[in-house]
Structure formats: C-alpha cells, structure tokens
C-alpha cells in the first residue's frame, strides 16, 4: 500500500536538534553584530559630544575684569 517510511519520535527529535543548532548559530551571529554596532555607535556619540563641546567652549568664553579700588 504505502511505501513511505514512518516518521518516528527519534526522527522528529533529530530534526528539532538540527534546527535548534541553526537557530543558536544565527542568534550568536546577530548578537556579535549588535555588539559591534553598539560599540561603533558609542564611539560616534563620544566623538560628536567632544566636537560639539569644543565648539561651544570656543564660542562662549567669559572675560572677567578685575579692578582695584
């Protein structure tokens, strides 16, 4: 009648293990990429804050005049 082999619980478990391994690999790669992006973003933010602070410091210098009586 039917020539297709029966699927056993062991077959299903093996397939789930295979898929879990692929998902773990993809998650690790995504995590590494996210860490790299976070580091680059933080560096850009630090450089931007430094440059803007330097520019603002150059623009608003306070001159204090001291007079003797």
């Amino acid at each position: 009648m039917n020539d297709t082999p029966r699927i056993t619980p062991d077959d299903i478990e093996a397939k789930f293990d295979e898929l879990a391994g692929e998902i773990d690999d993809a998650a690790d790669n995504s995590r590494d990429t996210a860490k790299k992006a976070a580091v680059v973003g933080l560096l850009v933010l630090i450089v931007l804050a430094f440059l803007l602070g330097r520019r603002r410091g150059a623009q608003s210098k306070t001159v204090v005049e001291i007079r003797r009586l």
Side-chain angles (χ1 to χ4, degrees), residues 13-57:
E13 186 176 347
K15 189 63 174 177
F16 277 141
D17 289 341
E18 179 183 330
L19 291 173
E22 291 175 10
I23 290 171
D24 288 341
D25 292 341
D28 289 340
N29 290 338
S30 297
R31 200 171 295 122
D32 291 342
T33 303
K35 285 180 184 178
K36 290 175 186 176
V39 168
V40 169
L42 184 62
L43 288 175
V44 167
L45 186 64
I46 289 172
V47 169
L48 185 64
F50 172 76
L51 292 175
L52 289 175
R54 197 173 95 181
R55 181 174 173 222
R56 181 175 175 142

